[in-house]
């Protein structure tokens, strides 16, 4: 393994030309990035139009303007562009107005300055030596105000834990006083941008790895190396230099943010990228194919990692290492989500690495489905493995289903094609393990195990949410899964694809009927 | 004619592998996913989103009470308990000074899902409060009135430009860059593939035919990708002008020309991929920093802003032509050298 790693470093160190280009690229990128941060992105210049000059980059004069400014009013064209132009013009005016009144009236122009203090509203454990509980306490009394306006009041029994004043016990994050205009919800765009900048070097490391791995495959080096090395040693040896390089990059970033745990997060992301790229190389028949699949997979994984960070207030979004990374950059506590995000991403990576290390002998087989059948056939020689691999495939099924839903979003009103596509994704994975083990295992037992595993993995998350007496509702989906895989077994003798098609048709019809019944 | 046969062969192999179909589906998926994200962003972050937060007040603030109609608490401890128990969504600590500056402490839930709903409401309340105090102190108040083209008063939601910017300033340039990357990498791959068989191929066709064949194939792929992303957006209800075909193609040709030059100077395919990536980063950053650039052109043309774009379009077309001609000569030299 160490020899392979050394060889990889020797090959990559060879070219001075690449080193020089990398250095120039780095210097240029840093300079341009600095300009970008200080001046902002310039591509929005002149996207809106007005009838009079406005000294603001997005606006320009046009004969057919989005907004017409006339005396003290603004006339807006009634489309999204017109409304957006007005919205930004209004923000610009506010900015200018604030500057003007500050010059004229000084601090008096801003009679309200706000300081936001964030307090956790989930129950907090207060551990203080001499605490005592005062109860019940009347919080307020109704207050009658001038003009017979009654201010709403709360009269509640509240248990107050005394020992230290509560406001000193709860963890507070204080910010400076700001004007009301500057109050903003916690939008993560800026943090999101910086996170992307920090993750970007990892993409390039992964890309270099995949090119090198593919080159080995295309030139038939694997066959030679595997005569003296085990599959595992070969793949780990190839990955080691890239992981070391990734470690240095991650370490530099973590020093910048004074957080050593960032190394673990960034390395888990890199491991995911490397294992995905290794699997992509296995799937691809040519360099060209690898490039295309790699782009698709990279974008999918970017969406998988980054979209949760946009909606970081959703608790499950903490499963993405990027969300945790952003929270660390913000100085927030990440708690259980730090190990959870690293473990879940590492598990996906290890599954992919396991699959790839078992795939060398099928590397040159033609056809994606054939390759997958050969690979799963090697792995599913016991009933329990059919069960385990079906459960392990669920995250991938969900990923493909999201992709399918996104592709079909424009035709979402046509329910059956959408249901059919989702059913094909599920039945493909369920059927794969049944079909590939058919020569060694009883297909009907495999079908039941595959259906049960899928049902279990899929519904496990719902069990805590549904009362015990209603668990009978699960019988129907289980029956549907079992019937669909049985349909697959009955029809797979005419080929894997036909089996998937028939079982998917049954699955889609079942889902359609259920949807129809629910809508009644 | 020979070059057309070579282009046809390349495109056939691309479709045989079916991976290009996956890429095309990806572009459609990207436009749909982004629409979903854009809608989600507007729904969550729009300050005009209807949500009435319950505000708790600690202190003496009669004007604020008239504006915000809060619940009053006797002290901060009980107000914070009220916040924790969900009786109020925010706690304001304020002892009002109508003639001076009011320093207000606002306690909001730390959990972002709650604060996202509360903060836009607080913003509106405090802006209104600020206006009342300014009027009281004789400070002129900004009042921007909006009307439709018929002269009827309209209310334009605050923050509506977020969605617009996300689609036209973030998403469309991203898709254009993505198409450029795909085409660039495809160019390197087809050229290196041809290099393996060039000795045999060049017995029946000239180097010039091979190069032109590759350019035709690359141009066809670029056009296909461009049309698909435009159709993807249109299918998702986004207005994209057909004029945006031009900057997308310009960018693809530029990316392809750079890839061809890299092919000319690289030793292996993996090295070419690496050099291409290294060149691409500062290129994109410069297109984002300086204007006019093919990316700023893509934003403006996708919005149908044609007025002063023609000059830039011609300029970029000429740059593309020079780059393409130079890169063709470099490729020709590399293929000849390899024989």
């Amino acid at each position: 393994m160490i020899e392979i790693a050394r060889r990889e470093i020797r090959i990559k160190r060879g070219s001075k030309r690449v080193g020089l280009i990398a250095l120039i690229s780095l210097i240029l990128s840093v300079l341009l990035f600095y300009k970008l941060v200080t001046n902002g992105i310039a591509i929005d210049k002149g996207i809106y139009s007005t009838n009079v000059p406005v000294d603001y980059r997005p606006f320009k004069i046009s004969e057919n303007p989005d907004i017409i400014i006339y005396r003290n009013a603004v006339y807006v064209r009634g489309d999204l562009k017109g409304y957006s132009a007005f919205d930004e013009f209004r923000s610009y005016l506010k900015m200018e107005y604030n500057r003007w009144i500050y010059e004229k009236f000084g601090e008096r122009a801003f009679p309200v300055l706000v300081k936001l203090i964030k307090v956790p509203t989930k129950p907090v454990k207060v551990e203080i030596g001499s605490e005592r509980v005062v109860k019940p306490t009347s919080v307020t009394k109704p207050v009658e105000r001038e003009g017979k306006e009654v201010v709403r009041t709360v009269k509640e029994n509240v248990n107050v834990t005394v020992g230290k004043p509560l406001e000193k016990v709860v963890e507070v994050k204080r910010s400076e006083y700001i004007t009301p205009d500057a109050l903003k919800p916690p939008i993560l765009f800026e943090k999101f941008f910086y996170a992307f900048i920090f993750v970007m070097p990892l993409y390039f490391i992964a890309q270099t790895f995949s090119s090198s791995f593919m080159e080995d495959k295309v030139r038939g080096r694997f066959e030679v190396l595997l005569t003296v090395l085990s599959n595992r040693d070969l793949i780990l040896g190839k990955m080691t230099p890239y992981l070391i390089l990734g470690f240095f990059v991650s370490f530099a970033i973590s020093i910048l943010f004074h957080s050593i745990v960032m190394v673990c997060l960034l390395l888990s992301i890199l491991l995911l990228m490397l294992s995905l790229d290794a699997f992509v190389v296995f799937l691809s028949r040519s360099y060209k194919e690898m490039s295309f699949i790699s782009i698709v997979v990279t974008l999918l994984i970017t969406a998988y990692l980054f979209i949760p960070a946009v909606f970081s207030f959703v608790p499950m979004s903490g499963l993405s290492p990027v969300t945790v990374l952003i929270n660390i950059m913000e100085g927030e506590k990440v708690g259980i989500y730090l190990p959870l995000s690293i473990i879940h991403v590492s598990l996906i990576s290890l599954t992919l690495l396991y699959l790839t290390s078992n795939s060398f002998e099928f590397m040159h087989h033609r056809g994606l489905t054939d390759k997958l059948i050969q690979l799963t056939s090697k792995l599913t020689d016991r009933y329990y493995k059919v069960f385990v691999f079906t459960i392990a495939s669920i995250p991938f099924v969900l990923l493909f289903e999201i992709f399918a839903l996104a592709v079909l979003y424009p035709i979402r009103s046509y329910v059956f094609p959408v249901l059919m596509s989702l059913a094909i994704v599920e039945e493909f994975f369920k059927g794969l393990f049944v079909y590939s083990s058919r020569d060694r295992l009883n297909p009907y037992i495999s079908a039941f195990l595959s259906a049960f595993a899928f049902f279990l993995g899929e519904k496990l998350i719902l069990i805590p949410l549904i009362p015990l007496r209603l668990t009978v509702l699960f019988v129907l989906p289980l029956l549907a899964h079992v019937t669909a895989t049985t349909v697959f077994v009955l029809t797979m003798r005419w080929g894997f694809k036909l089996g998937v098609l028939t079982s998917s048709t049954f699955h889609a019809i079942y889902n359609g009927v259920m949807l129809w019944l629910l809508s009644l | 004619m020979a070059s057309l046969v070579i282009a046809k062969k390349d495109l056939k192999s691309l479709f045989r592998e079916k991976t290009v179909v996956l890429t095309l589906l990806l572009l459609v998926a990207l436009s749909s996913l982004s629409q979903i994200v854009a809608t989600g962003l507007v729904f969550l972050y729009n300050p005009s989103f209807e949500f009435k937060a319950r505000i708790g007040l600690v202190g003496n603030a009669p004007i604020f009470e008239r504006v915000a109609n809060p619940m009053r608490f006797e002290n901060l401890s009980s107000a914070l308990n009220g916040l924790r128990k969900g009786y109020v969504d925010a706690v304001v600590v304020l002892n009002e000074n109508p003639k001076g500056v009011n320093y207000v402490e606002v306690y909001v839930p730390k959990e972002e899902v709650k604060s996202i709903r509360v903060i836009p409401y607080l913003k509106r309340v405090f802006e209104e409060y600020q206006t009342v105090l300014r009027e009281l102190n004789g400070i002129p108040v900004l009042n921007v009135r909006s009307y439709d083209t018929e002269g009827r008063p309209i209310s334009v939601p605050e923050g509506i430009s977020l969605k617009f910017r996300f689609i036209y300033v973030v998403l469309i340039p991203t898709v254009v860059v993505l198409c450029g990357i795909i085409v660039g990498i495809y160019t390197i791959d087809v050229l290196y593939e041809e290099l393996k068989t060039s000795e045999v191929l060049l017995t029946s066709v000239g180097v010039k035919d091979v190069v032109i064949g590759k350019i035709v194939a690359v141009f066809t792929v670029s056009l296909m990708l461009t049309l698909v992303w435009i159709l993807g957006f249109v299918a998702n209800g986004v207005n994209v002008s057909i004029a945006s075909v031009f900057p997308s193609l310009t960018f693809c040709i530029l990316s392809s020309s750079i890839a061809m030059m890299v092919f000319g100077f690289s030793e292996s395919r993996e090295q070419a991929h690496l050099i291409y990536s290294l060149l691409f980063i500062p290129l994109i950053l410069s297109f984002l920093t300086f204007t006019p650039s093919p990316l700023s052109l893509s934003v403006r043309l996708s919005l149908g802003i044609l007025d002063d774009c023609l000059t830039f379009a011609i300029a970029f077309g000429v740059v593309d032509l020079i780059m393409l001609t130079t890169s063709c000569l470099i490729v020709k030299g590399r293929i000849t050298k390899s024989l």
Side-chain angles (χ1 to χ4, degrees):
Chain A
M1 187 182 106
I2 294 166
E3 264 314 303
I4 291 290
R6 275 188 189 155
R7 175 188 157 269
E8 195 67 20
I9 293 169
R10 246 192 339 263
I11 294 170
K12 293 288 166 261
R13 211 173 41 187
S15 174
K16 282 180 186 165
R17 186 183 295 166
V18 177
L20 186 69
I21 292 171
L23 188 70
I24 295 169
S25 166
L26 183 72
I27 295 167
L28 275 176
S29 301
V30 169
L31 291 174
L32 287 164
F33 185 66
Y34 176 74
K35 188 161 168 54
L36 202 63
V37 169
T38 47
N39 293 3
I41 292 171
I43 55 173
D44 62 353
K45 190 177 175 185
I47 55 171
Y48 302 124
S49 53
T50 58
N51 57 325
V52 291
V54 175
D55 188 20
Y56 187 38
R57 191 175 57 205
F59 287 91
K60 67 177 184 72
I61 295 183
S62 167
E63 285 172 6
N64 182 25
D66 299 315
I67 52 171
I68 297 168
I69 303 159
Y70 183 67
R71 292 188 177 170
N72 289 328
V74 183
Y75 296 86
V76 183
R77 210 178 49 214
D79 54 11
L80 180 65
K81 191 172 175 238
Y83 284 155
S84 303
F86 176 73
D87 188 35
E88 293 208 22
F89 178 66
R90 182 169 51 192
S91 304
Y92 164 73
L93 274 187
K94 272 188 190 174
M95 208 166 63
E96 289 297 308
Y97 161 76
N98 283 343
R99 194 178 300 163
W100 177 72
I101 55 168
Y102 183 72
E103 280 168 11
K104 199 165 179 190
F105 299 96
E107 283 186 357
R108 230 162 43 87
F110 298 94
V112 183
L113 290 172
V114 182
K115 179 161 79 171
L116 276 185
I117 301 168
K118 293 182 181 177
V119 291
T121 54
K122 284 175 189 162
V124 285
K125 256 189 185 173
V126 185
E127 287 177 11
I128 302 158
S130 60
E131 61 180 359
R132 69 190 166 85
V133 175
V134 181
K135 63 177 182 179
T137 307
S138 173
V139 176
T140 57
K141 300 181 188 91
V143 182
E144 193 83 25
R145 289 208 53 78
E146 255 179 86
K148 289 179 183 172
E149 183 190 354
V150 179
V151 177
R152 287 177 297 143
T153 60
V154 177
K155 193 167 184 170
E156 276 294 335
N157 291 338
V158 185
N159 292 331
V160 184
T161 309
V162 182
K164 281 182 186 176
L166 184 65
E167 62 272 28
K168 287 189 180 167
V169 175
V170 293
E171 184 208 339
V172 293
K173 190 190 173 191
R174 290 167 191 275
S175 54
E176 295 301 311
Y177 281 98
I178 49 171
T179 60
D181 309 333
L183 272 176
K184 271 194 298 189
I187 295 181
L188 299 169
F189 272 145
E190 288 157 30
K191 294 179 267 176
F192 188 81
F193 179 69
Y194 289 119
F196 187 71
I197 295 289
F198 294 135
V199 174
M200 210 160 75
L202 308 183
Y203 283 112
F204 290 105
I205 294 173
Q207 199 223 340
T208 316
F209 165 74
S210 62
S211 291
S212 171
F213 205 51
M214 191 70 196
E215 192 77 7
D216 284 349
K217 177 183 169 176
V218 171
R219 294 192 177 211
R221 289 181 195 141
F222 285 148
E223 287 78 357
V224 181
L225 290 168
L226 285 170
T227 54
V228 287
L229 283 168
S230 70
N231 295 3
R232 197 192 58 191
D233 284 348
L234 175 61
I235 200 161
L236 289 180
K238 284 291 290 182
M239 280 171 77
T240 305
Y242 300 95
L243 283 171
I244 293 171
L245 183 63
F247 172 78
F248 285 123
V249 173
S250 313
F251 191 66
I253 294 168
S254 70
I255 287 173
L256 207 68
F257 285 92
H258 311 289
S259 170
I260 201 74
V261 288
M262 281 177 104
V263 175
C264 306
L265 285 165
L266 288 166
L267 277 182
S268 70
I269 294 173
L270 178 64
L271 186 68
L272 179 67
M273 288 173 182
L274 294 181
S275 50
L276 256 172
D277 279 339
F279 193 67
V280 164
V281 168
F282 153 65
L283 292 180
S284 319
R285 287 162 293 187
S286 67
Y287 234 115
K288 208 161 56 199
E289 200 173 52
M290 185 210 72
S291 302
F292 276 96
I293 300 180
S294 185
I295 287 168
V296 174
V297 168
T298 306
L299 270 164
L300 278 179
I301 211 69
T302 305
Y304 181 72
L305 291 173
F306 277 85
I307 288 180
V310 180
F311 303 103
S312 67
F313 50 83
V314 178
M316 290 295 278
S317 69
L319 281 177
S320 160
V322 174
T323 314
V324 181
L325 198 74
I326 288 173
N327 283 333
I328 291 173
M329 283 158 71
E330 274 290 283
E332 302 273 344
K333 282 190 176 172
V334 287
I336 188 74
Y337 284 111
L338 176 69
L340 273 183
S341 62
I342 293 173
I343 290 169
H344 119 267
V345 167
S346 304
L347 275 177
I348 297 178
S349 311
L350 292 177
T351 310
L352 286 167
L353 282 178
Y354 178 73
L355 291 175
T356 312
S357 66
N358 277 286
S359 69
F360 284 104
E361 56 205 275
F362 320 115
M363 280 266 181
H364 299 287
H365 281 218
R366 301 293 294 176
L368 187 71
T369 316
D370 281 352
K371 271 184 193 173
L372 284 174
I373 290 169
Q374 293 284 347
L375 174 62
T376 45
S377 173
K378 185 183 166 186
L379 299 173
T380 48
D381 53 350
R382 297 275 193 281
Y383 285 118
Y384 81 88
K385 286 187 178 176
V386 172
F387 184 81
V388 170
F389 278 115
T390 310
I391 283 195
S393 70
I394 290 174
F396 299 100
V397 172
L398 293 177
L399 201 64
F400 281 107
E401 283 185 333
I402 291 168
F403 181 67
L405 276 176
V407 170
L408 297 166
Y409 188 70
I411 54 153
R412 57 193 175 279
S413 47
Y414 299 97
V415 180
F416 193 75
V418 177
L419 291 178
M420 188 66 188
S421 308
L422 297 179
I424 286 174
V425 175
E426 286 188 17
E427 293 307 321
F428 178 89
F429 279 91
K430 276 195 301 184
L432 183 65
F433 300 106
V434 179
Y435 188 80
S436 51
S437 62
R438 70 192 185 284
D439 294 337
R440 279 167 293 181
L441 305 173
N442 183 321
Y444 290 99
I445 298 174
S446 298
F448 176 77
L449 286 171
S450 172
F452 187 63
F454 202 86
F455 161 81
L456 205 64
E458 197 184 41
K459 305 290 188 252
L460 209 58
I461 199 160
L462 294 175
I463 285 174
L465 304 174
I466 291 184
L468 198 65
R469 60 193 166 80
L470 293 179
T471 44
V472 70
L473 289 176
F474 285 147
V475 175
L476 215 53
L478 176 63
L479 271 175
H481 274 302
V482 174
T483 316
T485 38
T486 311
V487 170
F488 174 80
V489 174
L490 290 171
T491 50
M492 72 181 183
R493 73 186 67 177
W494 294 293
F496 176 74
K497 285 176 186 166
L498 191 85
V500 171
L501 195 69
T502 48
S503 57
S504 305
T505 310
F506 170 80
H507 193 144
I509 291 170
Y510 164 80
N511 283 347
V513 171
M514 285 295 120
L515 271 181
W516 177 67
L517 286 175
L518 285 171
S519 67
L520 286 178
Chain B
M1 197 60 194
S3 50
L4 282 181
V5 174
I6 289 168
K8 206 172 147 189
K9 179 203 81 174
D10 279 345
L11 291 171
K12 243 184 185 175
S13 90
L14 196 64
F15 276 96
R16 205 171 38 239
E17 284 177 346
K18 290 175 195 156
T19 39
V20 72
V21 180
L22 197 65
T23 316
L24 298 177
L25 287 177
L26 175 83
L27 288 173
V28 177
L30 198 66
S31 47
S32 302
L33 263 179
S34 312
Q35 264 292 83
I36 297 166
V37 173
T39 311
L41 282 174
V42 170
F43 180 72
L44 289 164
Y45 297 127
N46 188 352
S48 303
F49 176 60
E50 282 306 315
F51 170 73
K52 194 174 182 329
R54 292 157 302 169
I55 299 175
L57 173 68
V58 179
N60 183 30
I63 299 171
F64 181 76
E65 282 185 36
R66 274 206 298 277
V67 171
N69 196 20
M71 296 176 187
R72 283 187 62 193
F73 289 87
E74 280 177 353
N75 55 47
L76 183 58
S77 290
S78 53
L80 287 178
N81 269 312
L83 180 69
R84 274 177 46 199
K85 286 176 179 285
Y87 302 135
V88 286
D89 302 304
V91 173
V92 171
V93 181
L94 169 64
N95 281 307
E96 204 167 77
N97 173 13
K99 292 286 171 189
V101 179
N102 292 273
Y103 292 92
V104 191
E105 283 190 350
V106 184
Y107 291 81
V108 290
K110 193 181 179 207
E111 292 74 31
E112 283 184 348
V113 69
K114 289 182 185 170
S115 57
I116 276 174
R117 296 171 71 202
V118 174
I119 294 173
Y121 179 78
L122 286 172
K123 181 183 159 104
R124 262 190 299 165
V125 167
F126 281 114
E127 279 180 338
E128 207 179 318
Y129 180 48
Q130 180 179 249
T131 306
V132 173
L133 290 180
R134 276 176 179 165
E135 279 172 346
L136 208 69
N137 288 307
I139 296 164
V141 173
L142 178 74
N143 181 19
V144 191
R145 286 169 295 156
S146 52
Y147 301 92
D148 66 10
T149 44
E150 305 291 317
R152 288 179 296 239
I154 51 164
S155 166
V156 178
E158 205 177 321
I160 196 166
S161 58
L162 185 71
K163 183 180 180 180
F164 179 81
R165 269 190 176 264
F166 181 74
I167 292 172
Y168 291 99
V169 182
V170 178
L171 209 59
I172 288 178
T174 307
V175 177
V176 170
V177 169
L178 179 69
C179 291
I181 294 174
I182 294 171
V183 170
I185 289 175
Y186 173 70
T187 307
I188 292 174
D189 287 339
V190 286
L191 286 172
Y192 266 101
E193 250 166 47
E194 210 58 89
L195 205 60
K196 284 190 289 191
T197 53
S198 56
E199 219 168 305
V200 183
L201 191 70
L202 290 175
T203 53
S204 48
V205 291
V207 182
K208 195 175 142 195
D209 289 326
V210 174
V211 177
I212 293 173
K214 297 294 165 196
I215 290 169
V216 171
V218 166
F219 188 80
T220 313
V221 172
S222 307
L223 190 67
M224 204 163 58
L225 293 174
T226 301
L227 290 176
V228 165
W229 78 251
I230 292 176
L231 283 174
F233 274 97
V234 171
N236 279 291
V238 178
N239 274 329
V240 180
S241 164
I242 194 70
S244 49
V245 170
F246 182 79
S248 184
L249 276 182
T250 310
F251 190 75
C252 285
I253 293 169
L254 183 71
S255 169
S256 175
S257 306
I258 293 170
M260 283 159 85
M261 286 179 186
V262 169
F263 164 79
F265 296 111
S266 57
E267 289 155 14
S268 66
R269 190 186 329 222
E270 55 179 311
Q271 198 189 69
H273 276 175
L274 186 62
I275 295 174
Y276 172 78
S277 307
L278 289 170
L279 292 177
F280 214 76
I281 308 167
L283 184 80
I284 296 300
L285 286 173
S286 65
F287 284 171
L288 291 172
T289 314
F290 301 107
T291 181
S293 73
L295 291 186
S296 67
L297 206 64
S298 75
V299 173
R300 299 183 66 180
L301 286 180
S302 64
L303 285 165
I305 305 168
L306 303 170
D307 40 12
D308 56 350
C309 287
L310 188 66
T311 323
F312 300 132
I314 292 170
F316 289 129
V318 171
V319 171
D320 262 8
L321 205 65
I322 295 168
M323 290 281 284
L324 198 63
T325 315
T326 317
S327 56
C328 281
L329 291 172
I330 293 169
V331 169
K332 209 172 147 186
R334 170 77 205 269
I335 293 176
T336 317
K337 203 175 135 188
S338 70
L339 292 174

